[in-house]
């Protein structure tokens, strides 16, 4: 039995054959098993010797099968390795790396800059009440300045915010007139404009507000000067021109000086050597009062800018719609590196 079994194992070419051999010899009806079963009918003196021999044969068969399994598995592995060999000299598939949208990138850059100057970042709802969007900003119902902000009304009292100023009103109200406020509020805003190269019915804004005792116009100028140099380059200068906004008094518009275009980071100035960047001013006493601040004690400045416009100037982009049409050929040119 032993020799026959070992020969069979030697010849077995797969795991199934080995399993069959195991059954043939060691299974319930296997030949070695029947030898062991038949032990009872042997004379008593022969039993130990036969038993020992049978057990030894069982062990030999079991060991041999285990060894053969190892051999077969090793062979299978080698064959597999051979077949699946990888040609490491083939060029790899390029990994597509995602990145922040250009607008997200520029907003984060501006946020970082203001956080560095002690401003906190606040957000608010895009669907606003008439009160926060207009009334709290010193534009009561019927005020002519409302016309300038072509508004998407949802109901008489609800609208899509036309600027991020309502976040300033909300924050001031939360602080209840008892604490200094130093914040910026980035976000999407909406106006009933017909889309073209320079207008979009949806765009982004970042507004800033600093209210405290003794805040002066020179503080505003210092902060805006720092902003312009950090975003557009140390060689830029700023200029403030008188302007009008219902929520600031006095109001200004800020221009930055143009730079001759050379490669990246140039801005396009068509006419005067200055280009308009943002609106700003000293917070109107009515706005402070409505938010619960005593204008006799508190003063403040506010400013508002459009990251779309800033990105267009900074990178020489000539169509605002590029930001919203999701053309990958455009977007992937600006993987924003901070
Ligand atoms: N809220 C103004 C706008 O959307 C921008 C602005 C903010 C101007 C703060 C002055 C001061 O046009």
């Amino acid at each position: 039995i032993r020799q026959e079994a070992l020969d069979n194992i030697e010849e077995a070419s797969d795991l199934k054959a080995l399993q069959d051999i195991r059954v043939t010899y060691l299974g319930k009806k296997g030949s070695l098993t029947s030898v062991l079963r038949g032990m009872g009918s042997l004379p008593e003196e022969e039993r130990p010797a036969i038993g020992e021999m049978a057990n030894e044969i069982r062990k030999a068969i079991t060991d041999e099968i285990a060894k053969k399994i190892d051999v077969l598995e090793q062979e299978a592995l080698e064959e597999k390795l051979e077949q699946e060999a990888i040609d490491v000299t083939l060029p790899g598939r390029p990994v597509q790396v995602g990145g922040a949208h250009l607008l997200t990138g520029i907003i984060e850059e501006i946020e970082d800059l203001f956080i560095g100057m002690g401003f906190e970042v606040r957000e608010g709802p895009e669907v606003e009440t008439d009160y926060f969007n207009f009334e709290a900003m010193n534009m009561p119902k019927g005020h002519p300045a409302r016309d300038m902000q072509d508004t998407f009304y949802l109901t008489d009292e609800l609208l899509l915010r036309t600027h991020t100023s309502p976040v300033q009103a909300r924050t001031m109200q939360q602080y209840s007139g008892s604490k200094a406020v130093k914040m910026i509020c980035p976000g999407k805003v909406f106006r009933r404009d017909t889309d073209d190269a320079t207008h979009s019915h949806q765009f982004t804004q970042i507004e800033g507000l600093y209210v405290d005792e003794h805040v002066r116009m020179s503080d505003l100028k210092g902060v805006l000067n720092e902003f312009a140099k950090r975003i557009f380059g140390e060689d830029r200068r700023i200029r403030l021109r008188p302007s009008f906004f219902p929520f600031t008094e006095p109001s200004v518009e800020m221009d930055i000086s143009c730079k001759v275009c050379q490669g990246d980071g140039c801005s396009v100035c068509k006419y005067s050597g200055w280009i308009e960047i943002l609106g700003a001013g000293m917070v109107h006493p009515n706005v402070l009062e409505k938010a619960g601040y005593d204008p006799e004690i508190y003063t403040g400045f506010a400013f508002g800018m459009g990251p779309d416009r800033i990105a267009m100037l900074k990178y020489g982009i000539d169509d605002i719609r590029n930001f919203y049409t999701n053309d990958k050929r455009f977007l992937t040119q600006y993987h924003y590196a901070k």
Side-chain angles (χ1 to χ4, degrees):
I1 290 180
R2 178 199 191 117
Q3 199 48 50
E4 184 190 283
L6 294 186
D7 287 347
N8 285 344
I9 293 171
E10 174 72 36
E11 276 161 31
S13 59
D14 58 28
L15 295 175
K16 167 88 177 56
L18 285 175
Q19 181 61 17
D20 290 345
I21 293 168
R22 190 196 302 272
V23 172
T24 309
Y25 295 98
L26 308 178
K28 259 190 208 154
K29 292 178 187 155
S31 44
L32 194 66
T33 316
S34 37
V35 170
L36 285 163
R37 285 235 179 88
M39 294 259 292
S41 58
L42 289 177
E44 210 158 310
E45 355 32 290
E46 287 181 18
R47 280 189 209 161
I50 298 288
E52 199 179 318
M53 195 197 282
N55 277 330
E56 195 238 317
I57 293 173
R58 173 211 287 284
K59 184 166 183 310
I61 294 175
T62 313
D63 289 353
E64 204 54 31
I65 288 179
K67 260 193 234 159
K68 185 72 184 186
I69 287 178
D70 280 351
V71 170
L72 286 179
E73 282 180 347
Q74 187 62 30
E75 277 173 14
L77 179 65
E78 270 161 26
E79 193 179 307
K80 206 169 163 195
L81 285 177
E82 190 138 325
Q83 279 174 5
E84 294 180 3
I86 293 170
D87 181 353
V88 291
T89 63
L90 284 174
R93 293 195 192 89
V95 177
Q96 294 232 356
V97 183
H101 190 282
L102 175 56
L103 281 179
T104 309
I106 203 122
I107 288 171
E108 284 178 358
E109 187 180 348
I110 295 171
E111 281 177 6
D112 282 353
L113 185 135
F114 282 103
I115 289 169
M117 291 195 276
F119 287 75
E120 63 169 323
V121 179
R122 305 283 292 215
E123 289 182 351
E126 288 166 10
V127 173
E128 254 306 352
T129 59
D130 183 275
Y131 176 80
F132 280 115
N133 197 81
F134 289 126
E135 300 243 346
M137 286 293 125
N138 199 29
M139 284 180 275
K141 287 206 160 67
H143 193 290
R146 285 191 177 207
D147 281 355
M148 281 158 44
Q149 309 213 352
D150 305 285
T151 311
F152 285 116
Y153 278 95
L154 303 173
T155 67
D156 277 352
E157 290 302 319
L158 283 182
L159 44 79
L160 297 181
R161 67 179 179 194
T162 58
H163 50 183
T164 49
S165 303
V167 186
Q168 306 186 346
R170 285 173 179 277
T171 308
M172 277 194 280
Q173 215 174 59
Q174 255 176 32
Y175 280 29
S176 309
S178 57
K179 250 170 84 179
V181 184
K182 203 172 180 191
M183 56 161 293
I184 55 166
C185 41
K188 291 194 199 85
V189 300
F190 309 85
R191 294 199 190 176
R192 217 161 18 78
D193 263 331
T194 307
D195 293 1
D196 63 20
T198 53
H199 296 85
S200 169
H201 63 282
Q202 176 199 304
F203 54 103
T204 57
Q205 266 197 347
I206 299 183
E207 296 201 8
L209 174 74
Y210 178 29
V211 175
D212 203 347
E213 295 175 37
H214 315 299
V215 176
R216 293 167 307 180
M217 189 98 182
S218 51
D219 297 315
L220 171 65
K221 200 171 171 187
V223 165
L224 293 182
N225 191 40
E226 180 68 16
F227 157 77
K229 289 187 184 314
R230 291 273 294 277
I231 295 294
F232 292 100
E234 279 300 320
D235 51 346
R236 300 306 185 96
R237 282 175 300 131
I238 65 165
R239 170 173 95 168
L240 301 182
R241 279 181 293 104
S243 183
F244 172 80
F245 300 103
F247 28 84
T248 46
E249 180 59 38
S251 303
V252 293
E253 266 166 318
M254 182 178 98
D255 301 335
I256 58 165
S257 61
C258 296
K259 177 175 160 183
V260 181
C261 276
Q262 356 167 270
D264 281 352
C266 66
S267 70
V268 189
C269 282
K270 283 194 190 131
Y271 308 109
S272 61
W274 295 92
I275 189 142
E276 187 195 321
I277 291 291
L278 54 76
M282 301 307 289
V283 181
H284 196 288
N286 289 353
V287 174
L288 290 172
E289 215 155 26
K290 277 211 159 45
Y293 282 80
D294 181 350
E296 295 294 325
I297 300 173
Y298 286 94
T299 52
F301 68 67
F303 57 85
M305 65 181 89
D308 302 65
R309 184 172 160 75
I310 289 170
M312 288 170 82
L313 291 170
K314 190 165 166 165
Y315 296 104
I317 295 161
D318 57 8
D319 194 326
I320 192 172
R321 290 169 292 194
N322 283 328
F323 295 130
Y324 302 103
T325 42
N326 284 338
D327 186 336
K328 264 179 86 184
R329 289 167 303 178
F330 169 78
L331 295 174
T332 51
Q333 292 176 67
Y334 302 98
H335 272 178
Y336 215 81
K338 266 199 235 167

